[in-house]
Amino acid sequence: MRLDNLLAQEKISRKSMKQALLKKEILVDGLPATSLAQNTDTGLQELIFQGRRIQGYEHTYLMLHKPNGVVTASKDKKLPTVMDLLPQHLQSNQLYAIGRLDRDTTGLLLLTDNGPLGFQLLHPQYHVDKTYHVEVNGALTPNHILEFKDGIVFLDGTTCKPAQLEILSSSPSFSQASITISEGKFHQVKKMFLSVGVKVTALKRVQFGDFILDPNLTEGQYRSLNQEELKIIKKYLEKSG
């Protein structure tokens, strides 16, 4: 939650916030806040306003293994959504997925009610890498690795940023690979492989930034982030200052 929104919940006026910020009387984990717009979670950080500890609001952070056939949306009139996989008490209007996965794409999805965090992780300036396991219907060669490294160009002229392609197996009719990208264009991974002459038949996201899909989560299962993963969240919060 933005620092100013959090303090507003404590009935602190905007004027008082600005004055306290200038006087370095707002401390986040012992350090003076740098902006009223910075993202803060009092469940992970200690917030002090003019000597008084602010309890604020503790956000929810979940890891979900998205299954095939489920859409990344809060509601859908025809199709099951990732929110339908959660128990009723977690199906909050504030909870949402950070980044989208296509209906037929499986794998790692982060869910939270911390809106600014989602914006930060998806913003191009932070260059959050995403890694996918891919299966395609044709051969992959070392030359494809170079093409992905140079930046794939779509038929409409759109140029992708350099991507890292690792070929895991290859045959004339079936290949497996790992691909890491740092952007999120519409159907990007599928279009990248189509541009080199093969079609994606299976796509699974296995890593998002520093978050790695828990191998113990089967499709459709979720869990709260563990302590090590919450430390990663905290690092992103610190970068938002």
Side-chain angles (χ1 to χ4, degrees):
M1 182 181 293
R2 279 175 54 120
L3 179 57
D4 53 359
N5 291 338
L6 195 156
L7 293 175
Q9 290 185 350
E10 299 293 313
K11 309 302 181 183
I12 297 171
S13 70
R14 186 78 181 179
K15 181 179 179 181
S16 296
M17 294 181 206
K18 291 181 178 180
Q19 290 175 342
L21 184 71
L22 290 173
K23 294 178 181 179
K24 300 187 184 302
E25 293 176 341
I26 307 177
L27 303 179
V28 180
D29 280 345
L31 298 175
T34 57
S35 168
L36 291 176
Q38 73 183 74
N39 194 5
T40 307
D41 183 345
T42 54
L44 300 176
Q45 299 168 304
E46 181 184 62
L47 174 60
I48 304 295
F49 181 85
Q50 295 180 331
R52 173 168 68 96
R53 182 166 183 172
I54 305 297
Q55 296 298 330
Y57 179 82
E58 184 174 346
H59 286 287
T60 298
Y61 304 99
L62 305 175
M63 177 183 292
L64 173 76
H65 188 164
K66 180 191 171 299
N68 191 0
V70 174
V71 295
T72 309
S74 298
K75 295 180 181 179
D76 191 280
K77 294 181 179 179
K78 298 181 180 180
L79 301 170
T81 75
V82 292
M83 296 305 168
D84 295 329
L85 301 172
L86 304 178
Q88 192 65 39
H89 72 278
L90 286 175
Q91 293 184 20
S92 160
N93 290 333
Q94 284 75 41
L95 204 64
Y96 74 101
I98 299 178
R100 302 180 68 87
L101 291 177
D102 295 341
R103 179 184 173 189
D104 59 352
T105 300
T106 64
L108 174 60
L109 200 61
L110 298 176
L111 304 173
T112 185
D113 56 356
N114 187 338
L117 177 69
F119 175 81
Q120 180 179 352
L121 289 176
L122 297 173
H123 198 282
Q125 78 179 73
Y126 291 99
H127 304 291
V128 177
D129 288 343
K130 295 166 281 287
T131 300
Y132 297 82
H133 178 84
V134 186
E135 295 179 1
V136 299
N137 66 350
L140 293 174
T141 69
N143 188 56
H144 290 136
I145 296 176
L146 297 177
E147 290 185 61
F148 276 74
K149 185 178 180 180
D150 289 339
I152 295 293
V153 180
F154 296 155
L155 292 177
D156 63 3
T158 300
T159 300
C160 299
K161 292 181 179 179
Q164 181 180 343
L165 176 67
E166 179 185 359
I167 299 172
L168 304 176
S169 67
S170 182
S171 72
S173 60
F174 176 78
S175 299
Q176 294 178 302
S178 172
I179 178 175
T180 300
I181 62 175
S182 61
E183 53 189 345
K185 292 180 172 63
F186 186 64
H187 293 319
Q188 180 173 343
V189 173
K190 294 175 181 177
K191 289 181 178 180
M192 292 173 80
F193 282 96
L194 279 176
S195 296
V196 298
V198 292
K199 182 179 179 180
V200 171
T201 56
L203 185 61
K204 178 179 181 179
R205 183 160 67 192
V206 295
Q207 187 165 350
F208 184 99
D210 293 323
F211 299 97
I212 299 173
L213 180 62
D214 187 338
N216 294 317
L217 285 179
T218 59
E219 288 191 16
Q221 287 188 326
Y222 77 96
R223 64 165 173 78
S224 297
L225 297 191
N226 60 36
Q227 289 303 310
E228 290 304 311
E229 291 159 345
L230 288 175
K231 288 180 181 178
I232 298 171
I233 293 288
K234 191 173 179 181
K235 288 181 180 179
Y236 283 116
L237 295 176
E238 291 168 351
K239 289 180 183 179
S240 73

